[in-house]
Amino acid sequence: MTDAATNAAHDVGAPGDPILVAIDGPAGSGKSSVSRASADRLGFGILDTGAAYRALAWIALQAGVDLDTEAAVVQLMDAWAFSITMRGEQRVTVGLAGAEPIDATAAIREHSVSGQVSRVSKHPVVRERLNEMFRELVAASGLPGVVIEGRDITTVVAPDAPVRILMTASAEARASRRAGELEGLSHAQVLADIAARDAKDALVVDFFNPAPGVTLVDTSDLNFEQSVQTVIDIVEAVRLPAGKSE
């Protein structure tokens, strides 16, 4: 499925696998930036699963595939190659069989791609295939720990992770953050985009009610440093007792 996965057959949470910190949350909740900073300070790797969905949507658009047809997207996945760095600056490369991989790091972040992601993420088989790829990437990472963030992480991808966090924030707070990141878009436009994306996401995932055993972190009234420290504190609370028992 991917070169990085090297066909690893480990289940997440098996002996010898990295310590997992699973973080779910809607767009604008801070999960991506907070997850990356937390991973760096913990000495862990970071797996941004949203980048894979973006990369799949991007390559499908490049190939002229109908994003709304599950069979067509799944067929594309049989031929695509995806790789992502888990330490340092994020680099994403995407390719199709018989073609040179392309550095799509910047392209997948374009606003035109963001609006298409839900068209591929809504397909159950696509999500199942990507979730399996995420498990393989983590198992083959060789890292002591991995913060894995995105959608379905706490409930489907890594339901047995020792740390599972649902990071959320009000729509207003998320719109304010995103408006500062996206040039040319007003707060009202970003708020409307977030509301539309929340509605689409709600059809396949619950980003606002934590599953049993998942810790809810609401960042609406937290600044960046406070959000990062909250995650680190949750991880250390789980790690320290284990360390003392060794």
Side-chain angles (χ1 to χ4, degrees):
M1 186 179 299
T2 64
D3 292 337
T6 59
N7 296 320
H10 303 288
D11 291 327
V12 171
D17 278 350
I19 298 171
L20 279 185
V21 179
I23 302 181
D24 277 329
S29 62
K31 70 179 184 302
S32 295
S33 56
V34 171
S35 293
R36 183 164 293 277
S38 301
D40 185 59
R41 296 181 195 183
L42 287 163
F44 289 3
I46 174 75
L47 177 55
D48 172 7
T49 62
Y53 283 98
R54 286 174 172 272
L56 181 58
W58 179 79
I59 196 68
L61 290 169
Q62 300 302 305
V65 171
D66 181 2
L67 277 63
D68 294 314
T69 303
E70 183 177 64
V73 179
V74 171
Q75 183 176 18
L76 176 71
M77 294 179 76
D78 290 334
W80 86 320
F82 171 83
S83 66
I84 185 170
T85 54
M86 292 193 202
R87 293 286 290 167
E89 182 181 0
Q90 184 183 92
R91 307 303 302 178
V92 175
T93 57
V94 188
L96 293 175
E100 285 292 320
I102 301 171
D103 185 332
T105 306
I108 66 172
R109 299 295 172 183
E110 293 178 0
H111 186 64
S112 58
V113 175
S114 299
Q116 305 302 314
V117 174
S118 62
R119 294 176 63 192
V120 297
S121 66
K122 69 182 179 182
H123 302 306
V125 175
V126 170
R127 294 167 70 80
E128 182 180 329
R129 291 276 294 270
L130 285 180
N131 287 341
E132 180 58 29
M133 184 184 78
F134 299 146
R135 296 186 186 100
E136 293 174 352
L137 287 169
V138 169
S141 69
L143 296 167
V146 174
V147 176
I148 178 169
E149 60 97 353
R151 57 174 64 234
D152 285 352
I153 306 305
T154 62
T155 55
V156 178
V157 181
D160 298 321
V163 178
R164 294 186 295 151
I165 296 170
L166 175 59
M167 185 174 293
T168 189
S170 67
E172 283 289 343
R174 289 184 284 138
S176 295
R177 294 167 185 167
R178 297 293 290 229
E181 301 170 355
L182 301 172
E183 295 182 5
L185 293 178
S186 68
H187 179 277
Q189 288 174 309
V190 176
L191 181 59
D193 284 348
I194 284 177
R197 183 167 178 177
D198 283 351
K200 291 179 181 177
D201 285 341
L203 299 175
V204 292
V205 63
D206 186 349
F207 274 144
F208 301 97
N209 298 297
V214 176
T215 302
L216 179 66
V217 174
D218 189 333
T219 66
S220 299
D221 298 319
L222 300 180
N223 62 30
F224 180 72
E225 286 300 323
Q226 290 171 328
S227 300
V228 172
Q229 191 59 52
T230 297
V231 171
I232 291 175
D233 288 346
I234 293 171
V235 174
E236 294 296 358
V238 171
R239 286 212 302 174
L240 287 178
K244 291 178 181 179
S245 66
E246 290 178 354

